[in-house]
């Protein structure tokens, strides 16, 4: 498949694909952090956060698949090695064992802020390439994270 098969210019779409692969790398690290938080949550907020973290990692898993499939739709292969994810991701791994519940929430809020920043970059590049499909997909992901950020900040007692 080639971008021209869906009426897009290959050269104009290349920055979009590069950003989507960067986004994919960051999302994988975020996903694993969510899993770690889910597995290692302890304390008074266990029941609330255990369920929330599972909801978030399930959503992240679906999102990761959609990002990778969009890269394929644009005619390129998505990154698929953890070595690439770790080296390319701006989001860093953390050890969630023994981490306090609100520190976990704070770490996830930091990730979501970075993902939203990347989403805005992807949408700008997609807009320049006339790639409404990518824009629509990423905008949906960003809206979910914006609302989730508000909820987690409220849960943590932040403004």
């Amino acid at each position: 498949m080639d971008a021209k098969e869906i009426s897009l210019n290959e050269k104009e779409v290349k920055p979009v694909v590069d950003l989507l692969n960067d986004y994919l790398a960051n999302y994988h690290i975020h996903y694993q952090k969510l899993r770690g938080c889910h597995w290692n949550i302890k304390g008074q907020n266990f029941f609330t956060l255990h369920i929330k973290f599972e909801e978030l990692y399930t959503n992240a898993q679906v999102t990761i698949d959609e990002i990778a499939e969009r890269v394929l739709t644009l005619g390129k292969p998505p990154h698929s090695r953890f070595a690439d994810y770790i080296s390319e991701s701006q989001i860093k791994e953390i050890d969630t064992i023994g981490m306090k519940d609100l520190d976990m929430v704070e770490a996830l809020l930091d990730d979501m802020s970075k993902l939203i920043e990347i989403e805005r970059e992807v949408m700008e590049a997609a807009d320049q390439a006339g790639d409404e499909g990518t824009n629509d997909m990423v905008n949906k992901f960003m809206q979910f994270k914006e609302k989730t950020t508000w909820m987690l900040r409220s849960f943590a007692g932040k403004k």
Side-chain angles (χ1 to χ4, degrees):
M1 171 109 173
D2 192 303
K4 68 182 175 192
E5 301 295 330
I6 56 171
S7 301
L8 291 171
N9 180 295
E10 185 90 17
K11 196 176 204 179
E12 291 173 0
V13 168
K14 185 183 180 330
V16 176
V17 170
D18 292 343
L19 282 167
L20 284 171
N21 268 321
D22 179 58
Y23 184 40
L24 185 62
N26 280 275
Y27 235 109
H28 267 282
I29 302 303
H30 174 64
Y31 169 77
Q32 192 55 41
K33 194 178 296 180
L34 286 163
R35 298 290 304 240
C37 289
H38 174 74
W39 294 331
N40 294 304
I41 186 70
K42 302 240 185 283
Q44 286 183 297
N45 293 313
F46 173 83
F47 288 106
T48 302
L49 290 177
H50 187 73
I51 292 167
K52 178 52 79 175
F53 294 156
E54 183 173 9
E55 172 194 320
L56 293 174
Y57 79 66
T58 300
N59 178 272
Q61 185 178 26
V62 171
T63 300
I64 285 167
D65 192 54
E66 289 188 41
I67 296 165
E69 288 176 352
R70 185 65 190 172
V71 172
L72 288 163
T73 299
L74 295 174
K76 301 296 178 210
H79 293 319
S80 60
R81 298 178 333 132
F82 278 101
D84 294 331
Y85 302 149
I86 291 168
S87 70
E88 293 178 22
S89 178
Q90 295 167 315
I91 293 174
K92 299 301 173 201
E93 294 180 296
I94 60 171
D95 185 356
T96 57
I97 298 170
M99 209 173 171
K100 292 182 179 170
D101 54 359
L102 292 180
D103 291 341
M104 288 178 174
V105 170
E106 186 65 37
L108 296 175
L109 284 168
D110 289 345
D111 286 4
M112 288 185 196
S113 176
K114 178 42 97 180
L115 289 168
I116 290 169
E117 182 182 318
I118 294 167
E119 287 162 347
R120 292 186 192 287
E121 291 173 19
V122 170
M123 289 193 307
E124 186 175 316
D127 189 46
Q128 291 175 2
D131 180 1
E132 293 302 319
T134 296
N135 241 341
D136 185 53
M137 177 190 77
V138 173
N139 188 39
K140 176 182 68 170
F141 300 152
M142 186 177 69
Q143 288 175 27
F144 175 81
K145 261 185 289 330
E146 287 174 340
K147 184 174 181 180
T148 301
T149 296
W150 159 66
M151 291 178 166
L152 288 175
R153 289 183 65 77
S154 293
F155 175 84
K158 297 173 161 271
K159 287 186 180 181

